[in-house]
Amino acid sequence: AARMSHLGTYVRYETVFDRAQTELATIVAARGLNNAYIWAAHVPPARDEGIAEATVEIVNSGASVDGLDATEALIIRVARQLV
């Protein structure tokens, strides 16, 4: 739990991610950990920051990232591997 907390802090405050990228990484982690609370809290801000509904659905379903923007695809792939 402590390691995940540190990872969350790092992603939120210590990366060069913009707000949309941070929210994307957060929802990927939430889905990977099956954390409904974090998922519900961060999907609306992710959408507000411009993460497309199709991208949210890919994260939610665990589907392939083929066809996504290269940066979004990379964030999803790496976040899936970390969790």
Side-chain angles (χ1 to χ4, degrees), residues 1-59:
R3 287 184 181 175
M4 287 309 296
S5 177
H6 177 70
L7 179 60
T9 299
Y10 178 77
V11 168
R12 283 192 311 269
Y13 304 114
E14 300 174 23
T15 67
V16 296
F17 286 173
D18 64 27
R19 191 80 180 129
Q21 293 166 337
T22 298
E23 291 298 337
L24 178 58
T26 301
I27 65 171
V28 174
R31 182 51 55 224
L33 296 170
N34 249 354
N35 189 319
Y37 177 80
I38 298 297
W39 175 263
H42 285 273
V43 167
R47 289 178 179 136
D48 291 346
E49 292 297 329
I51 301 299
E53 186 60 35
T55 303
V56 172
E57 183 51 37
I58 285 169
V59 172

